[in-house]
Amino acid sequence: GDIIFENDIFRHSLEELFDIEHPGLKPEHPIYEKNKKQFISNWEKKGDFDQQGVWVYYPWNKTLVHFPEADIFNRLRTSRNRNLISSEEQKKFENKCVGIAGMSVGSNILNTLVLTGGPKHLKIADPDIISVPNLNRIMAPVSAVGINKAVYFARRSLEVNPFLVIEVFKDGLSPHLFQTFFTDKKLDLFIEEMDNPFLKIQSRISARKFKIPVVQAADNGDG
């Protein structure tokens, strides 16, 4: 009764894996189907597909998804990055830890990092809830109104990639949390998108202290 939707992407992922491992073999090629069936058959010999891969349950929408293992899933997700990001760069990117404070503008940055197969360890902070006026700049449905921004965007990120490690600071950042946020697994990059001028300044002072680079993009609102 706790599952209302199930999606098994395991076999489909194997079919996609065959294609990226055999880039010169196109569907119109006479041996394409034969080779693909043999590839799937080799996986079937490892055991029942239900017992392979990873089953992930999302309690907030009562959805169960059957994924391939993390390394295969990440290969598939980044396979079309190859002419944009080299394999070495992708691996380096994946092993970084990035913190984002402020989930209005910051949510769009988070989304881009997740979609590009970026850092697998993320820290996100925001004390505010999603409001209707926020919907002019964040990709969230009206059903998300009233949910804490950091919580909502952590959930959405995990729906894209369940193998991420996301630390959620739903009370936002404050000076007494700086050391934990910056150094308890040290950040490689801090992306600052907060509204509070005091926190903007103090967070930069802390980042400088811990030798963490800071990136910010900002507008002037209605001013």
Side-chain angles (χ1 to χ4, degrees):
D2 289 327
I3 299 169
I4 61 173
F5 184 75
E6 181 180 320
N7 191 13
D8 192 335
I9 68 168
F10 185 80
R11 184 186 181 95
H12 177 75
S13 297
L14 294 183
E15 292 174 354
E16 295 282 354
L17 182 64
F18 173 82
D19 289 338
I20 69 167
E21 289 188 350
H22 303 81
L25 198 58
K26 303 302 180 186
E28 59 271 16
H29 197 287
I31 65 168
Y32 175 84
E33 285 299 333
K34 178 183 176 182
N35 287 17
K36 193 169 193 174
K37 285 179 182 177
Q38 184 60 54
F39 180 82
I40 299 297
S41 176
N42 291 339
W43 277 88
E44 289 172 337
K45 291 174 183 175
K46 299 179 183 181
D48 190 326
F49 279 177
D50 283 353
Q51 303 302 316
Q52 298 187 55
V54 179
W55 290 88
V56 177
Y57 178 61
Y58 296 102
W60 51 86
N61 57 16
K62 297 190 174 184
T63 295
L64 182 70
V65 184
H66 185 196
F67 289 86
E69 296 287 349
D71 59 334
I72 294 174
F73 183 71
N74 287 329
R75 281 181 64 197
L76 292 172
R77 287 201 61 248
T78 59
S79 63
R80 296 185 183 181
N81 289 357
R82 284 180 298 186
N83 292 331
L84 302 171
I85 306 172
S86 71
S87 297
E88 294 75 21
E89 288 170 332
Q90 192 83 60
K91 193 66 181 174
K92 188 174 181 181
F93 196 16
E94 179 186 350
N95 289 322
K96 297 300 182 183
C97 180
V98 173
I100 308 174
M103 283 286 107
S104 287
V105 173
S107 68
N108 298 297
I109 298 168
L110 173 66
N111 185 53
T112 301
L113 290 175
V114 171
L115 290 179
T116 53
K120 63 184 175 185
H121 197 126
L122 293 153
K123 301 182 185 183
I124 58 177
D126 200 306
D128 296 332
I129 63 169
I130 296 172
S131 66
V132 173
N134 291 150
L135 301 181
N136 77 326
R137 62 192 180 280
I138 63 175
M139 288 297 294
V142 290
S143 59
V145 171
I147 299 175
N148 173 269
K149 291 177 183 177
V151 169
Y152 175 76
F153 287 108
R155 291 175 178 178
R156 203 177 80 166
S157 299
L158 290 168
E159 288 174 1
V160 174
N161 183 358
F163 303 106
L164 296 172
V165 176
I166 306 180
E167 295 182 55
V168 176
F169 292 71
K170 66 179 183 179
D171 295 324
L173 278 192
S174 54
H176 77 278
L177 288 174
F178 284 164
Q179 180 147 352
T180 299
F181 187 83
F182 285 119
T183 68
D184 189 1
K185 187 165 180 64
K186 187 176 179 181
L187 296 182
D188 294 290
L189 176 67
F190 174 48
I191 299 171
E192 191 280 299
E193 298 294 347
M194 295 181 287
D195 295 330
N196 185 302
F198 172 77
L199 292 176
K200 294 176 91 67
I201 294 168
Q202 292 301 313
S203 66
R204 280 163 170 72
I205 292 171
S206 288
R208 178 184 291 174
K209 172 184 173 183
F210 299 122
K211 301 186 184 303
I212 296 168
V214 180
V215 172
Q216 178 202 18
D219 56 43
N220 195 26
D222 292 332

